[in-house]
């Protein structure tokens, strides 16, 4: 049986995802950020998290990993954590002015990266790609 001309879909998709992820990580690092920082900032800006547990779920990481990132971001002056006055066990996370500035800088980087990814693809191709990716995700 001859070898297939293209790698199995799972391997091809994994290699593509790894390449895109590395390039996005590099772009964010060049802007003074990282993927975890970007995901945390965008989740806070969207208003998704009500507390740290919700924020960890929104970002897709464990609570301990989130705490590590929040500690570093707080030390860098990007955010503050405050106790919820109605439930002192809950900490609310808020961006500082530096956090807002970092969000806007990283948003510009993410937008430019997205534009780079879309280069040479038509709107119709992008719609098909989005549909195919959703279907692949549903299959797993």
């Amino acid at each position: 049986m001859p070898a297939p001309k293209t790698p199995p879909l799972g391997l091809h998709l994994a290699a593509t995802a790894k390449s895109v992820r590395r390039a996005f990580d590099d772009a964010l690092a060049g802007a003074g950020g990282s993927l975890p920082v970007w995901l945390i900032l965008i989740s806070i800006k969207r208003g998704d998290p009500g507390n740290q547990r919700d924020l960890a779920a929104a970002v897709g990481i464990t609570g301990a990993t989130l705490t590590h990132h929040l500690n570093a971001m707080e030390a860098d002056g990007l955010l503050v954590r405050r106790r919820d006055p109605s439930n002192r066990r809950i900490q609310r996370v808020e961006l500082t002015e530096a956090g807002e500035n970092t969000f806007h800088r990283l948003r510009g980087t993410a937008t430019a990266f997205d534009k780079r990814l879309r280069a040479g693809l038509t709107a119709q191709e992008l719609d098909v790609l989005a549909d195919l990716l959703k279907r692949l995700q549903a299959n797993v």
Side-chain angles (χ1 to χ4, degrees):
M1 175 190 251
K5 291 182 182 181
T6 59
L9 183 58
L11 291 177
H12 197 131
L13 184 60
T16 301
K18 186 175 183 179
S19 174
V20 170
R21 172 75 181 262
R22 274 193 193 142
F24 189 48
D25 286 344
D26 290 347
L28 291 171
S34 67
L35 184 59
V37 168
W38 171 238
L39 293 174
I40 290 167
L41 291 173
I42 199 167
S43 291
I44 293 169
K45 287 296 287 182
R46 284 183 180 155
D48 292 342
N51 57 49
Q52 284 188 210
R53 186 178 331 121
D54 295 340
L55 180 57
V59 174
I61 58 178
T62 66
T65 301
L66 175 67
T67 299
H68 167 76
H69 289 300
L70 292 179
N71 287 343
M73 291 173 73
E74 192 169 34
D76 290 341
L78 301 179
L79 57 85
V80 293
R81 290 180 274 189
R82 302 187 201 289
R83 295 280 176 196
D84 186 320
S86 63
N87 184 344
R88 302 277 304 148
R89 293 176 295 170
I90 296 175
Q91 286 195 32
R92 302 282 177 190
V93 180
E94 300 169 6
L95 296 184
T96 62
E97 185 176 339
E100 289 283 343
N101 293 338
T102 299
F103 168 78
H104 291 292
R105 187 176 61 252
L106 294 182
R107 181 177 64 180
T109 299
T111 300
F113 186 82
D114 188 66
K115 184 176 180 181
R116 181 174 145 203
L117 279 180
R118 294 167 178 264
L121 299 174
T122 67
Q124 183 180 7
E125 289 170 330
L126 290 168
D127 288 343
V128 169
L129 177 59
D131 181 59
L132 291 171
L133 291 172
K134 287 176 194 171
R135 288 167 49 195
L136 285 172
Q137 189 174 23
N139 286 347
V140 296

